[in-house]
Amino acid sequence: MENPLDRAALDAALENVHRAGIPGLFAEVRDGDQVWRGAVGVADVATGRPVTADMRHRVGSVTKTFTAAAVLQQVECGRIGLDTPIGHYLPKLVPGERGDRITVRMLINHTSGLAEYLPYAYPSLRALPDVADTSPQSLDDLRFARFDHTELIRMGVTAPAVGAPGGTPGVYSNTNYLLLAQLLEKVTGTTAERYITRNVIERAGLRDTELPTGPHIKGPHSRLYEAWFGMIDPPRDYSVYDMSWVGVSASLISTVADLNRFYRMLLAGKIVSPSSLEQMQRTVPVVSQQGEIIDYGLGLHPMEEPGQGTFWGHGGTVWGGGTLAMTRADGKRQMAVAVNMQRWNRLDSSGKPQPHPIDEALAALYRVAMYG
């Protein structure tokens, strides 16, 4: 069923998210040749500077789709085998039996069983996923830290495994994607960042998208306010941050317009081949960072409601910033939304994040944007 853009409903849904507590958010929704862009709230709570729909933004794990697409390109070239063990390529980083059992595919779809390195790299987050026993101290201490990716990988590989290689549900882990960066470097002879820039970002014609080399966001952007489950009150700005703690797992800077262009081209078979796209859309159950089981493919995950088409894309968060970009399988209907606050949910007496009005307001915005 076709639902053309309802601009008034989109405006209202965006405003409701702001009223629920997000300082500022902006979005682009497309339906064929129709385009709606909206922005509500402030980019800086101190000055009242407004957000605009063309702002650049840290898009977090949306980066994973770009990295996965780069790996699939190398699969098409015959330099990487999707079902080849990672130990064949990187025996020193994933040694022994696990290196022989964990395949490239398992890294991309998070079924490797390798643990997330973040609790080991950030001492105050060591208790994760038990949020109540964490503190945000490391976010400040490590703002300008320059992480060595092989050391981060070592943390994830030597940590207790979270599952058997290939077992489901998989467990979402940034360790997987840092390994994919090392794999790309090994087979291309250049850095993963350079390869992704030339062969994914530039191929898609994205003019406002980049993998950053320093802590600053170039061009017009919002401050990014992190609340860390009410432990940072008022929320603190982390827009200036060295993103080496995630690299090509989650460091991309982009715009909502560029993200919609990228996913439109990806689903049209213009970034990877149709057969590679089919591989990307083969899903397995994976435990997300929020502890929910989601369907996850190769750097893509679906969203769907009964009677509506399936949308494909990715979400992402960084300290203070969040993004969701989803495109219908036929490429016609698209949504990209960016918010400038994260982890607004406070904890209840048992240490669990409580529902917040922002959650339902965002869900309502996504429904209007995708389904009309």
Side-chain angles (χ1 to χ4, degrees):
M1 181 176 177
E2 290 299 318
N3 294 310
L5 295 184
D6 186 333
R7 297 173 186 275
L10 286 163
D11 288 338
L14 203 71
E15 180 66 43
N16 285 340
V17 180
H18 175 53
R19 285 181 182 160
I22 291 290
L25 70 158
F26 46 101
E28 180 187 86
V29 180
R30 305 180 70 97
D31 192 289
D33 294 331
Q34 293 187 75
V35 182
W36 169 89
R37 297 185 183 97
V40 175
V42 297
D44 187 325
V45 297
T47 67
R49 174 171 59 94
V51 289
T52 58
D54 60 350
M55 281 183 161
R56 304 181 90 215
H57 193 70
R58 296 198 192 276
V59 301
S61 286
V62 174
T63 314
K64 288 183 172 67
T65 311
F66 288 71
T67 302
V71 173
L72 267 293
Q73 288 176 354
Q74 289 299 297
V75 171
E76 292 170 18
C77 292
R79 295 194 188 101
I80 294 174
L82 261 185
D83 296 305
T84 300
I86 191 61
H88 172 75
Y89 303 103
L90 304 170
K92 292 182 179 178
L93 290 179
V94 192
E97 183 184 358
R98 281 208 291 180
D100 293 337
R101 294 180 62 197
I102 295 171
T103 66
V104 173
R105 184 190 302 273
M106 293 173 197
L107 295 175
I108 311 177
N109 70 11
H110 298 292
T111 58
S112 69
L114 293 173
E116 171 63 56
Y117 61 79
L118 185 61
Y120 304 93
Y122 277 63
S124 72
L125 305 185
R126 191 63 183 263
L128 285 174
D130 185 359
V131 175
D133 288 335
T134 66
S135 95
Q137 184 62 46
S138 293
L139 277 62
D140 291 313
D141 294 344
L142 299 173
R143 182 187 287 263
F144 297 108
R146 198 72 190 157
F147 284 100
D148 178 84
H149 288 174
T150 58
E151 176 60 17
L152 293 177
I153 290 168
R154 186 197 63 77
M155 292 176 186
V157 171
T158 59
V162 294
T168 55
V171 178
Y172 193 96
S173 169
N174 287 301
T175 305
N176 294 317
Y177 276 71
L178 290 194
L179 276 163
L180 293 172
Q182 296 294 316
L183 173 62
L184 280 169
E185 185 169 335
K186 171 93 177 203
V187 302
T188 65
T190 188
T191 65
E193 288 83 358
R194 195 170 293 126
Y195 180 85
I196 293 167
T197 298
R198 290 175 180 170
N199 296 280
V200 180
I201 294 172
E202 292 178 3
R203 180 182 291 193
L206 309 183
R207 298 181 179 178
D208 293 304
T209 299
E210 67 173 344
L211 290 160
T213 55
H216 295 274
I217 303 171
K218 299 173 187 172
H221 64 277
S222 174
R223 294 186 182 275
L224 302 175
Y225 297 101
E226 179 61 51
W228 196 255
F229 306 100
M231 297 181 208
I232 307 176
D233 191 11
R236 192 174 303 135
D237 170 32
Y238 288 102
S239 56
V240 178
Y241 212 94
D242 189 304
M243 297 301 290
S244 62
W245 66 281
V246 282
V248 301
S249 176
S251 67
L252 196 74
I253 294 167
S254 191
T255 62
V256 289
D258 266 10
L259 291 182
N260 277 339
R261 178 179 175 85
F262 168 69
Y263 282 107
R264 188 163 65 250
M265 293 188 70
L266 179 70
L267 292 178
K270 295 180 180 178
I271 307 297
V272 299
S273 70
S275 61
S276 290
L277 180 62
E278 184 183 346
Q279 293 286 341
M280 293 180 79
Q281 293 174 318
R282 286 190 190 177
T283 64
V284 293
V286 168
V287 180
S288 73
Q289 287 180 313
Q290 289 73 41
E292 302 165 350
I293 293 184
I294 61 171
D295 292 323
Y296 197 92
L298 302 185
L300 286 173
H301 68 81
M303 288 179 69
E304 53 194 329
E305 287 195 1
Q308 304 285 357
T310 301
F311 282 70
W312 293 91
H314 213 291
T317 70
V318 293
W319 309 135
T323 308
L324 181 64
M326 302 299 294
T327 293
R328 200 167 63 197
D330 64 6
K332 187 180 179 186
R333 185 86 175 201
Q334 296 192 273
M335 167 196 79
V337 178
V339 300
N340 67 2
M341 189 170 76
Q342 277 302 297
R343 283 159 285 273
W344 48 77
N345 305 83
R346 292 179 178 259
L347 305 179
D348 62 20
S349 58
S350 67
K352 302 295 183 187
Q354 296 176 296
H356 191 286
I358 292 172
D359 302 323
E360 180 48 44
L362 267 177
L365 170 61
Y366 298 153
R367 285 193 296 270
V368 171
M370 289 193 288
Y371 310 120

